[in-house]
């Protein structure tokens, strides 16, 4: 029986009980974020185009799998159409290694000079090289991607894709007819899946794809985020991975969705971009894979932070302060320039006295949640001290890294010392005092070790 639709004959009394139950259920559920999501919820994945950023989509898929989501359909444009079959075949290492082993020469048949041009290594090119590159592209009518065809043929099993319960679709644009073509797996002729994938991924610099005399180009020029393919298949819960841009068609579909509210859309996109659309290098793919995983976990409230990935929401700065005895709390407050204030109760020292100092230093607007302010402060200091953003930290780990980083930079940078003196010197002294004097009973956040076990499998061979 659905408790949210049940209406008792006893009327108002039962309705109030049901509302109370619902509120308690919501409160209880929000405290279970550290446990793995167990769900039979079927979602559709929509993968955008994005060239060499494709490993990001694999990271998103791995995170969704770890969270227990059931995928019912995968629809893509350009590189999204390449990743779709890999998802359907459900072989994470195989599709991941496609991106780890990828290079300019496994994608394109080009000269070394053309590779340097695509890499952006212009200092390695002479004027004669530029002339040769132009001749090369002109004679081939674009970049020859025959190696990519061979790569996909070795990896994608058309039989597995067709026999899967997971639906698949891609978008292409016909230059011959000047119209888009959206095809589902049951509309693609037998034995021609690779041909249509290559057509969907036919980047404008590539040699034009042709099927039965029809000239085809990258589907992303029409719809880089083909959400309508998932909607037309009846999906109500859709996860979009947006690697690059949205076309006018995509924007119109988004406006229509907001107006009719016909389906639930979750959009995941990279915080940071590495390389360009045409960067095909293992180290870049590794970064995108990790980022896709972490951004997805952030989207579903397993990680926190705007610039960093932080596991655990408990305010450890406040906890460390409250672990001090009263005399040490007063000493810590003096380091912030806060003297005696008899009007403030001791149990309100942190919220009423410390938080306003943080707000003043950050020069930003915040809500009343002190956790958000403390997290933002640590992220700001982590950024100043150049702490690596593409990894996972507990709040305690981040605070430790900040203190180490500050000491290293202080010795070598007079400018850094000047900045710290202006805005953060008192706060840093306060944090160092807490780190040294607080009783070390800050526990590892619940679920952290299980989370890290899954995370550490991302790059395993």
């Amino acid at each position: 029986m659905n408790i949210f639709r049940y209406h008792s004959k006893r009327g108002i009394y039962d309705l109030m009980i049901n509302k109370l139950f619902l509120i308690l259920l919501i409160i209880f559920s929000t405290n279970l974020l550290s446990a793995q999501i167990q769900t039979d919820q079927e979602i559709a994945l929509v993968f955008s185009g994005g060239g060499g950023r494709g490993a990001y989509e694999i990271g998103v898929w791995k995170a969704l799998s770890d969270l227990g989501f059931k995928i019912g359909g995968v629809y893509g444009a350009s590189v999204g159409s390449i990743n779709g079959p890999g998802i359907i075949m459900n072989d994470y290492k195989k599709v991941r290694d496609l991106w780890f082993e990828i290079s300019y020469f496994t994608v394109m048949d080009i000269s070394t000079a053309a590779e340097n041009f695509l890499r952006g290594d212009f200092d390695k090119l002479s004027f004669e090289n530029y002339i040769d590159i132009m001749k090369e592209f002109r004679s081939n009518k674009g970049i020859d991607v025959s190696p990519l065809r061979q790569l996909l043929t070795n990896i994608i099993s058309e039989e597995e894709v067709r026999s899967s319960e997971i639906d698949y679709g891609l978008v292409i644009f016909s230059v011959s007819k000047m119209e888009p073509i959206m095809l589902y797996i049951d509309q693609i002729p037998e034995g021609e899946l690779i041909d249509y994938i290559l057509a969907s991924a036919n980047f404008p610099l590539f040699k034009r794809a042709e099927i039965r005399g029809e000239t085809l180009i990258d589907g992303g020029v029409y719809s880089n985020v083909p959400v309508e393919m998932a909607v037309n298949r009846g999906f109500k819960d859709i996860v979009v991975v947006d690697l690059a841009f949205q076309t006018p068609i995509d924007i119109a579909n988004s406006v229509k969705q907001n107006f009719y509210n016909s389906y639930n859309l979750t959009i995941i996109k990279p915080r940071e971009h590495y390389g360009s659309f045409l960067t095909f290098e293992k180290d870049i793919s590794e970064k995108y894979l990790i980022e896709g995983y972490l951004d997805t976990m952030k989207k579903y409230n397993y990680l926190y932070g705007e610039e960093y990935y932080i596991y655990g929401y408990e305010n450890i700065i406040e906890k460390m302060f409250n672990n001090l005895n009263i005399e040490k709390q007063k000493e810590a407050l003096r380091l912030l320039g806060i003297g005696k204030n008899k009007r403030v109760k001791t149990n309100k020292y942190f919220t009423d006295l410390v938080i306003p100092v943080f707000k003043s230093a950050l020069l930003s607007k915040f809500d009343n949640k002190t956790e958000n302010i403390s997290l933002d402060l640590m992220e700001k200091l982590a950024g100043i001290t150049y702490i690596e953003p593409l990894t996972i930290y507990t709040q305690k780990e981040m605070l430790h890294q900040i203190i180490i980083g500050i000491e290293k930079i202080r010795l070598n940078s007079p400018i850094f010392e000047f900045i710290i003196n202006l805005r953060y010197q008192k706060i840093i002294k306060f944090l160092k005092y807490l780190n040294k004097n607080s009783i070390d009973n800050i526990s590892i956040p619940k679920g952290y070790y299980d989370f890290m076990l899954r995370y550490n499998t991302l790059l395993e061979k």
Side-chain angles (χ1 to χ4, degrees), residues 186-198:
D186 54 1
Q187 298 171 320
I188 296 173
E190 293 272 355
E192 298 183 19
L193 178 59
I194 299 294
D195 296 330
Y196 281 88
I197 289 173
L198 287 169

Side-chain angles (χ1 to χ4, degrees), residues 55 143 173 179 245 253 257 312 329-330 359 395 407 437:
I143 298 173
F173 190 83
E179 65 181 21
F245 59 87
N253 284 336
Q257 181 271 329
Q329 285 185 356
K330 291 179 179 178
K359 285 183 177 180
Q395 290 189 47
E407 291 306 314
N437 292 278

Side-chain angles (χ1 to χ4, degrees), residues 18-171:
N18 281 340
K19 286 185 176 180
L20 178 60
F21 182 84
L22 176 60
I23 292 169
L24 291 173
L25 181 62
I26 292 172
I27 293 172
F28 178 73
S29 297
T30 58
N31 291 325
L32 296 179
L33 295 175
S34 60
Q36 182 188 19
I37 293 175
Q38 299 291 338
T39 178
D40 292 326
Q41 176 187 0
E42 189 170 73
I43 63 171
L45 279 178
V46 176
F47 284 160
S48 81
R53 301 166 180 170
Y56 184 93
E57 295 176 337
I58 306 306
V60 172
W61 167 51
K62 181 66 164 65
L64 292 172
S65 298
D66 285 353
L67 293 175
F69 284 100
K70 181 180 179 182
I71 297 169
V74 187
Y75 311 96
S78 194
V79 74
S81 72
I82 293 176
N83 281 328
I87 306 305
I88 292 169
M89 292 163 61
N90 196 31
D91 190 333
Y92 167 70
K93 288 190 176 180
K94 192 173 187 178
V95 71
R96 177 202 66 184
D97 290 347
L98 161 69
W99 288 101
F100 285 5
E101 295 169 6
I102 206 165
S103 70
Y104 288 94
F105 297 113
T106 60
V107 174
M108 315 165 194
D109 185 6
I110 54 174
S111 64
T112 302
E115 180 197 7
N116 288 330
F117 175 77
L118 295 174
R119 283 180 182 274
D121 293 337
F122 303 124
D123 57 328
K124 296 180 180 179
L125 298 173
S126 65
F127 179 75
E128 289 77 14
N129 288 146
Y130 284 106
I131 299 299
D132 291 340
I133 292 168
M134 291 176 63
K135 289 179 179 179
E136 180 182 340
F137 289 175
R138 182 178 296 177
S139 64
N140 291 329
K141 298 181 180 179
I143 298 173
D144 183 357
V145 290
S146 298
L148 179 59
R149 173 181 290 276
Q150 187 60 50
L151 186 64
L152 297 183
T153 301
N154 293 339
I155 290 174
I156 295 175
S157 167
E158 181 170 341
E159 182 181 355
E160 285 187 47
V161 176
R162 291 187 181 278
S163 63
S164 174
E165 294 181 357
I166 301 174
D167 193 28
Y168 172 71
L170 51 76
V171 58

Side-chain angles (χ1 to χ4, degrees), residues 349-401:
Y349 277 174
F350 190 83
T351 54
D352 289 2
L353 299 178
V354 176
I355 289 299
V357 176
F358 290 177
K359 285 183 177 180
S360 177
L362 291 167
L363 303 175
S364 302
K365 293 182 179 179
F366 293 92
D367 57 27
N368 292 323
K369 295 180 180 178
T370 58
E371 294 92 342
N372 290 345
I373 297 168
S374 296
L375 279 174
D376 195 84
L377 174 69
M378 283 202 287
E379 285 198 281
K380 183 69 71 175
L381 292 173
I384 291 173
T385 51
Y386 306 108
I387 292 175
E388 169 59 45
L390 195 61
T391 190
I392 301 170
Y393 300 93
T394 63
Q395 290 189 47
K396 185 177 181 181
E397 288 171 339
M398 175 161 276
L399 181 59
H400 180 66
Q401 291 298 319

